[in-house]
């Protein structure tokens, strides 16, 4: 059977429109089509040594961690960025499965870490991590929470590492880090096991409009896997790469007829019944139906943006992009 290539739709949204959008996003690392088309590849860049696998996670897939990393350089960078300042609070979290047998001595081998780095100057970072010796760390260019609080970690359990920032006057940034126990399955009600707080004055970080968010983890730090990344706060620009499979073959144009107007799209299959899906730019299926040759969909219910109609039939398959401007 002939294989067909992928159509890569790459959208770079790097314009700051003078306002920020409050969003909550999560990546569960369950979506895996190929080594180049999965949650890690589509939502992150970098992450040297991290690889997405299809099992062993909290709800399916997860990230396998490397033995060690180059501390401060090998993080996986999320494609969305925070807008700094006093517009809103923000929170980032990553889960890790702890394996005490993996831990080793090197101080750079953190179990799991979350980095926030302002675009204007990455040296004004804020990072929290669980160290190889089971301590919760908060490090900035000007302050740390030393002596670091101990974290009671249980072998085989899942944990959530969370970093939260709040802003106040005079360029003050309040930092809160915590570790929650999620049990052996990773689905238990989160139980707080350690936390730490502090504050810094940083005009560069406070005013930055594109704070990079990154995560990492290592075997030598004790993290067997990473899973369930979460982001909440004021979104600024992004550098996301969205991948949509092109499953259109040379027969499809003969069997599919697509049309659209201001309020509706239509798709006709001249040969057989078909399964039709409406998919947004994040890969979420908005609507799905099996129809006997004809499909129509009102776009009045959709927010402005880019969408795809995907059809599968016995005679061929079809993907078409359409945009809504309201």
């Amino acid at each position: 059977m002939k294989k067909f290539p992928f159509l890569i739709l790459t959208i770079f949204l790097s314009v700051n429109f003078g306002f920020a959008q409050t969003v909550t996003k999560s990546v569960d690392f369950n979506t895996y089509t190929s080594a180049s088309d999965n949650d890690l590849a589509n939502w992150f860049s970098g992450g040297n040594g991290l690889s997405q696998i299809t099992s062993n996670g909290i709800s399916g897939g997860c990230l396998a961690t490397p033995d060690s990393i180059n501390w401060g350089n090998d993080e996986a960078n999320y494609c969305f960025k925070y807008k700094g300042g006093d517009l809103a609070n923000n929170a980032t979290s990553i889960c890790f499965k702890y394996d005490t047998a993996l831990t080793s001595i090197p101080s750079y081998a953190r179990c799991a870490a979350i980095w926030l780095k302002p675009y204007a100057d990455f040296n004004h970072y804020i990072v929290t991590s669980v160290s190889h010796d089971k301590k919760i760390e908060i490090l900035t260019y000007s302050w740390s929470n030393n002596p670091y609080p101990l974290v009671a970690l249980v072998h085989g359990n899942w944990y959530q590492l969370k970093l939260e920032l709040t802003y106040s006057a005079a360029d003050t940034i309040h930092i809160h880090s915590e570790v929650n126990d999620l049990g052996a399955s990773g689905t238990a009600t989160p139980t707080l096991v350690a936390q730490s707080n502090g504050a810094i004055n940083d005009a560069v970080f406070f005013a930055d409009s594109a704070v990079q968010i990154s995560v990492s983890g290592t075997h030598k730090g004790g993290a067997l896997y990473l899973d369930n990344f979460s982001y909440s706060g004021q979104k600024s620009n992004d550098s996301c790469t969205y991948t949509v499979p092109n499953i259109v073959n040379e027969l499809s144009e003969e069997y599919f007829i697509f049309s659209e107007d201001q309020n509706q799209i239509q798709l006709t299959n001249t040969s057989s019944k078909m399964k039709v899906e409406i998919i947004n730019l994040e890969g979420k299926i908005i609507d799905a139906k099996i129809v006997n040759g004809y499909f129509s969909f009102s776009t009045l219910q959709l927010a402005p943006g880019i969408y795809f109609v995907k059809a599968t039939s016995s005679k061929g398959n079809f993907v078409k992009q359409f945009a809504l401007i309201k």
Side-chain angles (χ1 to χ4, degrees):
M1 180 179 295
K2 183 178 179 181
K3 294 184 178 180
F4 298 94
F6 287 93
L7 168 66
I8 307 298
L9 171 66
T10 305
I11 298 178
F12 295 99
L13 302 176
S14 56
V15 179
N16 183 3
F17 293 98
F19 64 90
Q21 178 185 1
T22 301
V23 298
T24 299
K25 297 287 185 179
S26 61
V27 183
D28 58 16
F29 303 106
N30 290 343
T31 303
Y32 188 99
T33 301
S34 68
S36 61
D37 182 9
N38 56 66
D39 283 336
L40 179 63
N42 291 337
W43 295 102
F44 294 84
S45 62
N48 185 34
L50 289 173
S51 60
Q52 185 171 334
I53 59 178
T54 58
S55 61
N56 299 318
I58 293 174
S59 59
C62 64
L63 299 181
T65 59
D67 187 47
S68 62
I69 64 169
N70 186 4
W71 177 249
N73 294 283
D74 289 344
E75 297 81 36
N77 303 310
Y78 187 48
C79 60
F80 285 179
K81 298 173 180 63
Y82 280 141
K83 186 174 180 64
D86 57 357
L87 293 175
N89 305 332
N90 61 52
T92 309
S93 65
I94 188 72
C95 298
F96 63 92
K97 186 169 186 177
Y98 183 69
D99 190 326
T100 189
L102 299 174
T103 56
S104 187
I105 296 301
S107 61
Y108 59 81
R110 271 72 174 186
C111 180
I114 299 170
W115 292 78
L116 301 181
K117 304 175 185 178
Y119 179 80
D121 185 351
F122 279 8
N123 290 320
H124 285 244
Y125 58 82
I126 297 174
V127 56
T128 187
S129 62
V130 176
S131 64
H132 70 286
D133 52 356
K134 296 190 286 189
K135 295 178 180 179
I136 186 169
E137 300 175 331
I138 303 174
L139 304 174
T140 77
Y141 79 102
S142 62
W143 170 84
S144 72
N145 66 328
N146 192 13
Y148 310 118
L150 287 170
V151 186
L153 300 178
V154 176
H155 175 76
N157 275 14
W158 282 93
Y159 292 89
Q160 178 197 55
L161 173 65
K162 180 183 290 187
L163 176 62
E164 298 176 314
L165 302 186
T166 58
Y167 303 92
S168 60
D171 300 327
T172 300
I173 303 171
H174 301 273
I175 307 168
H176 172 79
S177 179
E178 66 181 47
V179 176
N180 295 296
D181 192 339
L182 304 177
S185 67
T187 58
T189 301
T191 302
L192 182 67
V193 293
Q195 62 180 326
S196 188
N197 301 283
I200 61 173
N201 292 92
D202 190 323
V204 172
F205 198 109
F206 195 98
D208 201 276
S209 62
V211 177
Q212 179 67 66
I213 306 157
S214 308
V215 295
S216 65
T218 68
H219 272 188
K220 287 184 177 179
L224 183 60
Y225 304 115
L226 299 181
D227 204 357
N228 287 16
F229 170 86
S230 179
Y231 159 111
S232 177
Q234 291 280 357
K235 173 191 170 185
S236 63
N237 55 23
D238 71 54
S239 56
C240 303
T241 300
Y242 305 96
T243 303
V244 177
N246 177 14
I247 54 175
V248 181
N249 62 35
E250 68 271 14
L251 299 176
S252 295
E253 297 300 330
E254 300 178 22
Y255 294 101
F256 292 93
I257 301 172
F258 175 81
S259 63
E260 61 180 314
D261 58 30
Q262 185 176 2
N263 300 320
Q264 190 177 63
I265 63 169
Q266 297 177 333
L267 183 65
T268 301
N269 182 339
T270 61
S271 176
S272 63
K273 72 167 68 173
M274 58 183 172
K275 178 182 178 182
V276 185
E277 298 171 318
I278 304 297
I279 304 170
N280 69 12
L281 205 53
E282 297 175 4
K284 180 181 178 181
I285 298 175
I286 305 299
D287 189 65
K289 292 180 180 178
I290 296 176
V291 296
N292 191 18
Y294 176 78
F295 173 83
S296 72
F297 181 83
S298 172
T299 58
L300 292 173
Q301 62 185 289
L302 299 179
I306 296 174
Y307 298 86
F308 301 88
V309 55
K310 173 184 175 182
T312 305
S313 77
S314 61
K315 289 292 185 179
N317 305 302
F318 179 88
V319 172
K320 177 71 175 179
Q321 172 191 328
F322 64 94
L324 294 181
I325 302 174
K326 297 182 179 182

